[in-house]
């Protein structure tokens, strides 16, 4: 049985699995920096996560379909994920460019933390809230901000998803 399943998995599956793995690592890293490291995401940071939140389950479904021999549908899903991460890379470029002051960031960009709804905690929340601006990098690694690393990750995921789509579309459905 294991040999039969392994025989069904081709390059489309491997490229798709690599895209899924990278997407999971990237979003877990972002969430780790937020919840463990204490880095509060700005509005653009939160928007950049939507591609991961949508792309991860779609990639998982595409992998199941590819394993089951439904490569045409899998190819369409891989392609959609590739487009989502292309758009996400564009958003990341805009965000990183705003951080480097190449262009202005959004005027509405504030903090990523929300306030409590209870009146008793409102004043305490207002005193403790950390407002993150979209045009200021809170952290850089190797000279690249979180937004810049999102561009790198999104571009790689996009390329892997498009490659998976291309390979899957050229293989016959079982």
């Amino acid at each position: 049985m294991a040999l039969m399943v392994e025989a069904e998995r081709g390059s489309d599956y491997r490229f798709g699995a690599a895209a899924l793995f990278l997407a999971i690592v990237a979003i877990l890293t972002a969430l780790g920096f937020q919840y463990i490291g204490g880095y509060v995401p700005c509005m653009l940071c939160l928007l950049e996560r939507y591609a991961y939140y949508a792309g991860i389950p779609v990639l998982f479904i595409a992998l199941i379909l590819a394993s089951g021999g439904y490569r045409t549908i899998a190819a369409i899903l891989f392609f959609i994920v590739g487009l989502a991460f292309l758009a996400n890379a564009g958003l990341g470029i805009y965000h990183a460019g705003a951080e480097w002051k190449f262009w202005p960031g959004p005027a509405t960009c504030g903090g990523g933390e929300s306030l409590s709804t209870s009146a008793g905690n409102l004043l305490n929340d207002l005193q403790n809230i950390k407002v993150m601006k979209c045009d200021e990098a809170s952290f850089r690694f190797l000279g690249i901000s979180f937004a810049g690393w999102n561009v790198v990750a999104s571009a790689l995921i996009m390329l892997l998803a498009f490659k998976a789509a291309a390979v899957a579309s050229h293989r016959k459905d079982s």
Side-chain angles (χ1 to χ4, degrees):
M1 177 80 173
L3 292 175
M4 193 168 114
V5 172
E6 187 62 37
E8 292 296 320
R9 294 183 183 165
S11 296
D12 55 340
Y13 186 92
R14 287 191 294 278
F15 286 117
L20 177 61
F21 177 77
L22 183 56
I24 290 171
V25 168
I27 196 64
L28 287 178
T29 301
L31 292 170
F33 271 99
Q34 179 181 349
Y35 291 108
I36 297 169
Y39 289 91
V40 179
C42 70
M43 178 195 70
L44 285 177
C45 292
L46 295 173
L47 286 175
E48 290 169 39
R49 293 180 184 184
Y50 289 156
Y52 296 95
Y53 296 148
I56 288 171
V58 173
L59 282 168
F60 184 73
I61 292 167
L63 289 173
I64 291 170
L65 291 169
S67 289
Y70 300 98
R71 290 187 178 82
T72 302
I73 299 170
I76 292 168
L77 293 179
F78 286 136
F79 185 75
I80 290 169
V81 169
L83 289 177
F85 279 96
L86 172 63
N88 202 47
L91 182 59
I93 289 169
Y94 168 70
H95 189 182
E99 290 174 342
W100 285 103
K101 310 296 187 224
F102 293 152
W103 44 75
T108 59
C109 195
E113 288 187 359
S114 61
L115 298 175
S116 299
T117 55
S118 69
N121 290 332
L122 183 59
L123 289 176
N124 189 37
D125 285 346
L126 285 173
Q127 291 174 341
N128 294 327
I129 194 165
K130 299 175 192 173
V131 177
M132 298 305 301
K133 297 175 72 178
C134 294
D135 59 356
E136 294 177 6
S138 60
F139 176 81
R140 292 189 192 274
F141 177 70
L142 300 176
I144 303 174
S145 67
F146 288 134
W149 284 111
N150 176 58
V151 173
V152 172
S154 292
L156 289 172
I157 295 165
M158 174 201 65
L159 291 172
L160 289 166
F162 282 154
K163 183 67 175 176
V167 172
S169 68
H170 289 97
R171 294 185 71 193
K172 300 251 189 245
D173 286 343
S174 297

